[in-house]
């Protein structure tokens, strides 16, 4: 009815958690292409809602904020995305250390996720690697092999160009099965393989130039919170590739960055 693809747990190809204790469980997709993308989106939105919390004073608005946090936290938990959950944990710690007003809302997130995981504890044990699972082992091996392939592509070509990782991988590893041709699950290894050292240097210079201009415009005292929040993107990028390899991921980065930086300097000019 909503035009969302069906992902039956019994069919091969879906993102599932499979083990001897919990059986075969489909991870939450939301309206996204993969649960990891959905989990990353939930983590970003939770951080933004928590940051918004200190500006909300009316009871009705605060009630709506708490309800949205509960739904978002449940969505994050049921995505069973390890990268998103790890990112959320680091972000909550950083927010609570810097902003005392974020501690209550952060506690709500932790409690909701804990309740969800207590109900589905066998599934959590499988996903966390406490219980042996062939599916989870294959997932971890694919990530390690992907990093090795990224380094091999960089050593072979010096940079295959933006968006050409999977195409170049077909020439480097022709023995792979079709579903094994996918970008490496690490933004920084993906940048190395596609842009090469020269591209990374230019990108680093651009980012540093932006932050130098940022510090000059707002002062160091006001720039700490956005830097801590954007740290979330760095952690997500260490465990997945969708932030730069898909349109949805790039839009998530752009919108999240705009929400974080815009309220601090509403009249920031380029003069």
């Amino acid at each position: 009815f909503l035009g969302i693809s069906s992902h039956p747990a019994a069919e091969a190809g879906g993102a599932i958690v499979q083990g001897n204790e919990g059986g075969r469980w489909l991870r939450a997709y939301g309206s996204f292409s993969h649960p990891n993308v959905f989990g990353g989106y939930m983590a970003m939105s939770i951080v933004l809602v928590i940051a918004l919390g200190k500006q909300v004073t009316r009871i009705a608005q605060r009630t709506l904020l708490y309800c949205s946090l509960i739904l978002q936290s449940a969505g994050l938990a049921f995505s069973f995305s390890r990268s998103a959950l790890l990112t959320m944990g680091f972000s909550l710690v950083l927010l609570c250390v810097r902003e005392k007003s974020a501690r209550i809302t952060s506690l709500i997130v932790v409690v909701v996720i804990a309740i969800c995981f207590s109900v589905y504890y066998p599934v959590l044990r499988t996903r966390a690697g406490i219980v042996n699972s062939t599916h989870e082992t294959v997932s971890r091996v694919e990530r390690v092999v992907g990093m090795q392939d990224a380094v091999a592509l960089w050593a072979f070509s010096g940079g295959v160009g933006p968006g050409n990782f999977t195409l170049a991988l077909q020439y480097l590893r022709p023995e792979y099965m079709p579903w094994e041709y996918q970008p490496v699950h690490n933004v920084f290894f993906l940048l190395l393989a596609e842009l090469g050292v020269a591209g990374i240097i230019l990108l680093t210079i651009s980012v540093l130039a932006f932050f130098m201009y940022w510090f000059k415009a707002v002062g160091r005292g006001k720039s700490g919170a956005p830097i801590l929040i954007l740290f979330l993107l760095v952690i997500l990028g260490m465990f997945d590739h969708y932030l730069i390899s898909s349109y949805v991921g790039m839009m998530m980065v752009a919108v999240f960055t705009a929400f974080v930086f815009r309220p601090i300097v509403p009249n920031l000019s380029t003069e």
Side-chain angles (χ1 to χ4, degrees), residues 106-223:
S106 298
L107 180 62
I108 293 176
V109 175
V110 173
V111 170
V112 172
I113 293 178
I115 292 175
C116 294
F117 283 163
S118 65
V119 174
Y120 293 93
Y121 183 64
V123 183
L124 174 64
R125 282 168 53 87
T126 301
R127 184 63 177 159
I130 300 175
V131 178
N132 291 331
S133 169
T134 303
H135 186 271
E136 298 300 326
T137 301
V138 170
S139 176
R140 290 191 289 269
V141 170
E142 286 180 348
R143 291 174 180 269
V144 175
V145 172
M147 295 179 187
Q148 295 173 346
D149 288 341
V151 174
L153 281 176
W154 167 73
F156 177 74
S157 64
V160 297
N164 291 326
F165 184 91
T166 53
L167 178 62
L169 191 60
Q170 296 180 34
Y171 293 94
L172 182 68
R173 301 284 189 260
E175 70 277 9
Y176 280 4
M177 299 300 291
W179 57 83
E180 293 179 309
Y181 293 112
Q182 56 181 318
V184 55
H185 285 72
N186 186 297
V187 164
F188 307 103
F189 276 89
L190 184 58
L191 288 174
L192 175 66
E194 292 189 346
L195 302 183
V197 175
I200 291 180
I201 292 175
L202 291 175
L203 180 62
T204 303
I205 292 174
S206 300
V207 173
L208 290 177
F210 168 78
F211 280 110
M212 288 175 63
Y213 177 70
W214 172 259
F215 288 138
K216 181 180 179 181
V218 303
R220 296 182 181 274
K222 295 182 180 180
S223 59

Side-chain angles (χ1 to χ4, degrees), residues 19-116:
N20 296 329
E21 290 188 355
R24 185 181 177 93
W25 288 84
L26 184 72
R27 297 165 57 192
Y29 276 77
S31 59
F32 293 86
S33 59
H34 195 275
N36 286 344
V37 185
F38 175 58
Y41 177 79
M42 287 293 101
M44 291 183 182
S45 61
I46 288 173
V47 169
L48 291 177
V49 170
I50 293 176
L52 180 65
K54 63 180 181 179
Q55 304 177 17
V56 175
T57 56
R58 296 181 181 180
I59 296 178
Q61 292 176 336
R62 189 162 290 276
T63 301
L64 180 62
L65 182 141
Y66 290 154
C67 291
S68 64
L69 273 180
I70 292 173
L71 292 175
Q72 291 168 326
S73 302
L76 174 60
F78 292 136
S79 72
F80 287 99
S81 173
R82 290 174 294 206
S83 58
L85 288 167
L86 181 62
T87 301
M88 188 75 264
F90 276 109
S91 300
L92 290 181
V93 171
L94 294 174
L95 283 172
C96 290
V97 170
R98 184 172 180 85
E99 302 287 344
K100 293 183 179 180
S101 59
R103 294 178 182 177
I104 296 178
T105 48
S106 298
L107 180 62
I108 293 176
V109 175
V110 173
V111 170
V112 172
I113 293 178
I115 292 175
C116 294

Side-chain angles (χ1 to χ4, degrees), residues 241-260:
H241 58 79
Y242 61 84
L243 293 178
I244 64 171
S245 64
S246 67
Y247 173 77
V248 172
M250 289 186 285
M251 287 297 296
M252 287 167 57
V253 173
V255 172
F256 181 75
T257 305
F259 268 112
V260 169

